[in-house]
Amino acid sequence: MTAQSLSFPVPSSLGSLENYIQAVNRFPILSAEEELELARRFHQQQDLEAARQLVLSHLRLVVSIARGYLGYGLPHADLIQEGNVGLMKAVKRYDPERGVRLVSFAVHWIKAEIHEYILKNWRLLKVATTKAQRKLFFNLRSLKQHEGSLSPDEVESMAQTLKVSPDDVREMETRLYGQDVSLEASSDDEDSHAFAPIAYLAAPDAEPIADIERKEREHLATTGLAQALDSLDERSRRIIQARWLNEEDPATLHELAAEYGISAERVRQIEAKALQKMRAALSH
């Protein structure tokens, strides 16, 4: 599976990054049933049209994840492109029979490709990207008379001479003379790996997709559960509550059988049917 075979839009083909983001946000989000059907078609029949629809419906996820890595000075469009490669790899490796949504599976592959791209380009970041920054870059190099950091008075003097703000001078000086930082730990010490920059490239709790997943879990644990219980008849609801929601002293099949004057096997059947009905209610 290649980007050419899927032909999904890229920023350059749509004129600008803003147009691209607007385009991918218009692609519909697949329901669980639609996603399962498409994934099976691709997994079992190598149907590239099914794979294309899976990719298109998750492009907005790549945009959201890529936005969390903008602090590394790399173009958002390039980060998205690399994330799209990870998304295609995820679709190719996704097994629809495992009971996991593609969005959860794809996050790992998208981040892995973006991490690899950052690692490869960390030392290639441009010091000056705009015309104003390039002008400041050359002027600052010519005006600075020593190798050490500029004093506050020197910063103010250069800012007045170059007709820029002191913050601009300080920022360019940092770019010019700041030391490279390794994203990965250089030793085998486990602690050093835990605190290396690669370990905190992006804050997981700050990503939109993580926030969406957290809210969905909260909904399922409260409102969703209450609605699923309401879909049951009184006896089935009592059995589920006694068996699954009473953490301190859950009832046994025999206790409930005695309560309702039926066999333990009949209680088990009612319980299984109720759980199946609740799963169906929670999936909608």
Side-chain angles (χ1 to χ4, degrees):
M1 180 170 59
T2 64
Q4 287 75 17
S5 67
L6 291 174
S7 300
F8 58 78
V10 294
S12 58
S13 67
L14 292 170
S16 70
L17 180 60
E18 290 74 17
N19 289 341
Y20 172 83
I21 294 175
Q22 291 177 7
V24 301
N25 284 335
R26 286 195 291 268
F27 290 125
I29 297 176
L30 300 174
S31 67
E33 292 78 12
E34 291 171 332
E35 181 182 292
L36 181 60
E37 179 187 354
L38 290 169
R40 283 174 173 168
R41 278 169 48 190
F42 177 61
H43 192 70
Q44 298 170 5
Q45 306 168 26
Q46 294 301 298
D47 185 339
L48 291 182
E49 174 57 26
R52 187 182 75 88
Q53 293 184 46
L54 288 171
V55 169
L56 290 176
S57 66
H58 288 80
L59 289 179
R60 69 181 70 201
L61 170 66
V62 177
V63 172
S64 294
I65 293 176
R67 190 176 293 119
Y69 296 89
L70 291 177
Y72 293 89
L74 295 166
H76 193 190
D78 290 351
L79 294 169
I80 291 173
Q81 295 273 47
E82 296 301 316
N84 286 342
V85 173
L87 174 59
M88 287 193 295
K89 289 183 178 180
V91 169
K92 184 176 182 179
R93 292 166 172 80
Y94 177 60
D95 183 354
E97 307 306 330
R98 291 187 175 272
V100 177
R101 290 296 299 267
L102 176 57
V103 63
S104 301
F105 182 77
V107 167
H108 164 77
W109 290 96
I110 294 168
K111 288 184 176 181
E113 288 298 320
I114 293 177
H115 285 190
E116 182 68 19
Y117 175 69
I118 292 174
L119 287 171
K120 288 180 178 177
N121 291 274
W122 180 250
R123 294 179 183 274
L124 302 179
L125 299 182
K126 295 180 180 179
V127 172
T129 54
T130 67
K131 183 177 179 180
Q133 288 173 336
R134 287 194 293 271
K135 181 178 179 181
L136 177 57
F137 166 70
F138 289 112
N139 288 334
L140 185 60
R141 284 183 66 91
S142 64
L143 287 174
K144 193 170 181 180
Q145 302 297 319
H146 56 82
E147 291 295 324
S149 300
L150 293 172
S151 67
D153 290 339
E154 289 174 321
V155 169
E156 291 290 339
S157 176
M158 287 189 178
Q160 292 179 8
T161 301
L162 300 175
K163 295 182 173 55
V164 296
S165 72
D167 287 341
D168 287 338
V169 174
R170 281 189 286 267
E171 179 184 355
M172 185 54 66
E173 185 192 30
T174 301
R175 294 191 185 194
L176 282 171
Y177 303 103
Q179 296 180 348
D180 287 339
V181 177
S182 174
L183 287 180
E184 295 183 306
S186 57
S187 69
D188 294 330
D189 183 6
E190 291 186 2
D191 290 338
S192 65
H193 284 275
F195 293 100
I198 192 65
Y200 49 85
L201 273 172
D205 57 353
E207 294 180 3
I209 190 63
D211 187 49
I212 292 172
E213 290 176 345
R214 177 182 56 79
K215 290 180 179 179
E216 184 175 354
R217 287 195 301 270
E218 291 176 354
H219 170 75
L220 291 176
T222 54
T223 307
L225 179 60
Q227 291 173 348
L229 285 171
D230 287 341
S231 69
L232 304 177
D233 60 76
E234 184 177 350
R235 184 173 65 173
S236 297
R237 184 164 54 250
R238 159 66 181 152
I239 290 174
I240 292 298
Q241 289 174 331
R243 293 273 293 156
W244 293 91
L245 302 180
N246 187 357
E247 296 182 1
E248 294 183 359
D249 187 23
T252 67
L253 293 174
H254 292 285
E255 288 173 341
L256 290 168
E259 179 178 335
Y260 286 103
I262 56 179
S263 68
E265 174 59 21
R266 180 56 183 153
V267 173
R268 187 196 64 77
Q269 292 173 355
I270 295 172
E271 177 186 40
K273 187 176 181 179
L275 288 173
Q276 184 178 15
K277 189 173 183 179
M278 288 180 67
R279 290 191 190 98
L282 288 171
S283 66
H284 293 299

